[in-house]
Amino acid sequence: MNPSKVIRIAGREYASTVLTKGFIIGALVVPALIAVVMPLVIMLINSAKPPAERGEVDIIDRAGGVTELVAEKLKPEQIVESRFDQAEEMMQTIGRMIGRDLSSLSEEALDTLPKDQLEKFYEQFGVPQLRVKELPPDTDPEQIKAQLRANIGKAKRGEDRGLLALAVVDEHAATPDPRTGKYGSFEVYTVPKVDDRTIDEIRTALRWSILERRYEAAGMDRNKIDALTNVAYTPTQEVTETGTRDSSMELTMLLPGAFMILMLMGTMTGGQYLMTTTIEEKSSRVVELLLSAVSSMELMTGKIVGQMAVGLTLMLIYNAVGIVALIAFQRLDLIEGSSIAWMLLLFALAYFMFASIMAAIGSAVNELREAQALLTPVMLLVMVPYFFFMPISRDPNSTLAVVTSFIPPISPYILMMRIASSAPPPLWQVLLGVAVNIAGVVFFVWFAAKVFRVGLLMFGKPPNLLTLIKWVRMA
Amino acid sequence: MSNVRKTFGRKVAVEGIDLDIPVGDLVGFIGPNGAGKTTTIRMIMSILFPDSGELTVLGKKTAVESKDRIGYLPEERGVYKKMKVGAFLRYTGRLKGLPPRGLNDRVSAWLEKVELPGVWNKKCEELSKGMQQKIQFISAVLHEPELLILDEPFSGLDPVNMRLLRDLIGELHRGGTTIIFSTHVMAQAQQLCDHIVMIHNGRKVLDDPLKEIRSRHTPRSVWFEPMLDGFDPTVVEALPQIASVRKNEGHYEAALADGADPASAIGAVASAAPMSRVELHRPTLEDIFIEIVRGDEPGRDDESIRASLRLHPESAHKPEGVTS
């Protein structure tokens, strides 16, 4: 093999792939756009909230004393407050996942707003304006339901709908039924298509008010019960050599998956391009011209190396993005340098096996369409590491994990997940896995080289797997 | 090349071919489609490897080691459609081991030579098929090969470009390049080559200098066109030097009787009736080929053999894996 020819072919392969609009758009612009557009879309979705609901909520309060509490709870300022609480809770959860404190939201600023601006604010954020009316406990619910029915479709959302919802509170909602000892509940009826958040808020108000009455009836202090049932959350701390830091279990779980997907992405991209360029060279008949200058082995090697550089380029770009993100969250310590080194080695092994298969398929068929039949089993094989992600990230040293670490061509992905996990495998397993994969690479490249040599000049009906094996014997 | 054999599955493509091509020769490979020409050439190029037999190219066991000294224009040819012409030729030149220095000048000079100046920055797909073919020809000769192999170089070219290419081949030949070219159009080989190798059904059926072939197949027929309409061929047929007369596409062909002297025969025919044309017909390669095939396959008539020669390569049925 003539190395300078191999390098020349690799160079053309790389340049003709990376410098195309398709690659630049697909690999770089689209992810960048997603990163920019996604927050915009989320903002748009949030800002395009349906207009605030306006209308009347009737309550047949058979338990007594619930309505006034509900009315208090459904005041706009109360709703805003509980919505803020929810948002803050969400931020705390995200903060826990990445091991950072993000709960800095505050609604205090709202208290300083003048009244007219406050109303505008309610309007913008879809805060419902509800009137709560208490009906006598002996009112027939059917009668009110008939009123609701008459109200269907009368007003558009945003306008005052008049009667919007009916709640029926059971007479034993606050005090237990003396015969069964059980508490009663409540029922809610609404006109169709009321904003789901508003319905949620009505139900939450009812539940909260009923609980309040139950505590009262039982002679208990709500604050005391809240204090009794709440244990303040403190994040798990990891003891490090220099001190302690917040644990980030979720991120630790996701990291092996991220490494695996990064590897898969590099492998798949390089492999796919390799197949398409091979088919292109074959179908445009330029291949025999190339074969007059280089041997089929040099051609295949050059192409595989060139596309490996493409895969690496892509991987390094995303790697850099990931590292920047981790730096932004100040969690760079989660990744060890050795993981990245292992990733490059395992990527090379995984890539050589996959690329050989793709080169063989590309050389065997006449056009992309014919490749589909041969590709299906290959793609199923590629899916396998995905299925193993959950079990292996949960228990990186299970029997399943150890066994699959030694089965090429999926083994590099499994090894990667295990190395990046919180419980890395013993070194001997990694080294044995690498050795098995090197053997796998030798086999796949040998197989592909034979198919490649015969396939490139074969025009005619697309071959199946059996034909390929025949070619290997023939070559 | 000695006793080389190649099979594709059950089909034998090349059966025991012995061949020796002297340096500096211009050799024509002729034979109908599917005869085994391309397979033979691919084996010379080490693109295919023979099942048995020995092969030496430019003193090396395989062409793999001497690829940079060989130029090859395959029959199945193409270009990178999206690549610019200049870049494409630079790339193939570099693959053939040309140094980057002076490469641009060399490519430009050749583009001028094939009358395609100013296509340097055009994409290959913007060129016509004939123009692309000239580009591929350049990529075969750019590195000044010692051995140039051209597989059906004229197919798809118009007469003007055909002549251009023929002149270029002649020029290279005079410059000392050994040239092998294959064609199924025998007239082309006749015009160009000093040496003819004829292949039929994977076997070599002829391997001689053109002159020798000509002298061996002495003219044995007189072609003539009578001046007047009501011509009676029996007048000619009655001549003692003539065995038979048959009409063929606007002229008559009179076969010489055994032992008849061609010179006296032509004189006799010319004086038998007023003639607008009388000529002693030299057998063409096609005639010779037909003679050889008829010896091989007694059952076949001339016309079916002639027809098999005229099949256009694109329309011919190609068995899997075997072209030409």
Side-chain angles (χ1 to χ4, degrees), chain A residues 5 8-9 12 281 284-286 288-295 453 457-459 461 471 474, chain B residues 42 45 47 49 67-68 72 74 76-81 83 88 91 94-96 139 320-321:
Chain A
K5 288 189 177 184
R8 195 133 292 132
I9 289 173
R12 199 208 88 87
E281 275 159 9
S284 74
R285 303 288 197 267
V286 80
E288 204 172 344
L289 210 71
L290 298 177
L291 287 181
S292 76
V294 298
S295 70
R453 199 171 103 184
L457 295 175
M458 285 283 185
F459 299 102
K461 79 175 196 335
W471 289 357
M474 197 167 112
Chain B
R42 281 180 177 170
M45 281 307 295
I47 288 171
F49 295 87
K67 278 196 168 170
D68 292 353
Y72 176 43
E76 298 281 353
R77 49 192 157 232
V79 287
Y80 283 113
K81 293 195 182 87
M83 226 170 165
F88 176 73
Y91 175 60
R94 297 281 282 133
L95 273 188
K96 283 289 195 180
S139 78
E320 189 185 336

Side-chain angles (χ1 to χ4, degrees), chain B residues 115-128:
Chain B
E115 293 166 9
L116 282 178
V119 296
W120 186 284
N121 276 320
K122 278 197 177 160
K123 281 187 182 167
C124 288
E125 61 186 351
E126 290 169 39
L127 302 186
S128 75

Side-chain angles (χ1 to χ4, degrees), chain A residues 32-69:
Chain A
L33 269 182
I34 289 174
V36 174
V37 169
M38 274 298 274
L40 268 175
V41 169
I42 291 171
M43 269 168 65
L44 271 175
I45 289 172
N46 282 339
S47 67
K49 271 278 167 224
E53 293 283 1
R54 290 155 189 274
E56 186 180 302
V57 179
D58 287 2
I59 298 181
I60 303 174
D61 187 1
R62 291 178 180 150
V66 173
T67 314
E68 58 219 61
L69 290 173

